[in-house]
Amino acid sequence: MGIRISLFLLYMACASLQAQELEVRFAINNAGIPVEGTFRSSSIQYMFDRQQPESAFFRAEVDVASIDTGIKARDRHLLKPKYFDAGNYPKMTFKSTKVYKQGADYVLEGELNIKNTIRPITTPLLISHGDGGQKEFSVSFVLNRRDFGVGRNHLILGDEVRVSIKLRN
C-alpha cells in the first residue's frame, strides 16, 4: 500500500509541475542570412527542487511539424526527408541524465534525439522569476545540424544552430 501511495504522490508531483508554457526557438544562417524560428507544439514533464538538484528530471518532446519560420513554404520544405523527415521522425526529444549545482549555478546534462540520432547536451540551467512571480527555466546551446542528418550536405545552409528553450510555470 505504501508503494502505491508513494507512486501516486510522485505522479501527482510530476503532473502538477507540467509546463504552462514551453518556448523552443532556433536560429541558423541560410545563404549568410539569419533565419529564426520556433516550434509551436511541444510538451515537457519535469521535476526540480533547488535543494536536491540531483533528483531533478526534464523530459521534453517537440512536434517537428509545428516548425514556424514565418514562411509557410519553407516550413513545408523543412519537413521533407532531406531535412527533418517529419513523416518518419515526427518528434524530437530531450531527456535529462543529470542535473547538478556548480558554484551558484545549475548544469543540465541530457540526450537530444533528432531523427533517431542521439547526442549528449550539456548546458547551464538558468532559473529566474518572470512576470507575476512564476518560475522560469531557460537553457541555450549550439548544435551542429549535420550531427543529426538535418540538411545533409546542403552547402549554403550553416552548420551551427543556436537553440534556446524557456519554460514558464
Side-chain angles (χ1 to χ4, degrees):
M1 185 75 161
I3 292 174
R4 285 185 187 167
I5 292 171
S6 296
L7 290 174
F8 175 74
L9 291 174
L10 177 61
Y11 171 77
M12 291 306 294
C14 293
S16 68
L17 292 176
Q18 295 303 305
Q20 291 179 354
E21 183 179 343
L22 183 64
E23 178 183 276
V24 180
R25 303 194 65 71
F26 64 91
I28 187 170
N29 287 330
N30 187 12
I33 299 168
V35 174
E36 294 183 0
T38 189
F39 289 92
R40 298 276 177 213
S41 179
S42 56
S43 63
I44 189 166
Q45 293 180 324
Y46 77 99
M47 187 169 57
F48 183 84
D49 179 350
R50 286 180 188 256
Q51 303 306 315
Q52 297 179 319
E54 65 281 353
S55 66
F57 69 86
F58 293 83
R59 291 186 197 101
E61 192 173 81
V62 174
D63 295 321
V64 172
S66 72
I67 193 167
D68 184 355
T69 62
I71 300 174
K72 296 288 183 205
R74 175 172 47 204
D75 297 344
R76 285 190 300 274
H77 185 71
L78 290 171
L79 299 178
K80 293 182 177 181
K82 182 177 180 178
Y83 296 94
F84 284 106
D85 194 3
N88 290 311
Y89 307 102
K91 307 272 187 201
M92 294 184 288
T93 62
F94 174 82
K95 182 176 89 170
S96 65
T97 55
K98 188 175 185 181
V99 179
Y100 57 94
K101 193 164 181 155
Q102 188 171 58
D105 301 318
Y106 295 92
V107 177
L108 173 65
E109 293 182 4
E111 297 176 333
L112 180 63
N113 184 336
I114 301 174
K115 291 178 72 172
N116 210 29
T117 300
I118 300 170
R119 297 283 187 257
I121 298 289
T122 300
T123 181
L125 173 63
L126 305 175
I127 305 167
S128 61
H129 291 283
D131 298 335
Q134 77 267 26
K135 192 180 295 185
E136 182 175 282
F137 296 92
S138 60
V139 297
S140 38
F141 53 90
V142 175
L143 59 85
N144 186 323
R145 67 170 176 84
R146 291 178 191 244
D147 289 345
F148 296 94
V150 176
R152 296 191 187 133
N153 293 322
H154 198 288
L155 297 177
I156 63 171
L157 186 60
D159 292 341
E160 197 172 88
V161 181
R162 294 166 307 285
V163 178
S164 64
I165 302 170
K166 286 186 182 178
L167 165 63
R168 294 178 190 92
N169 190 324

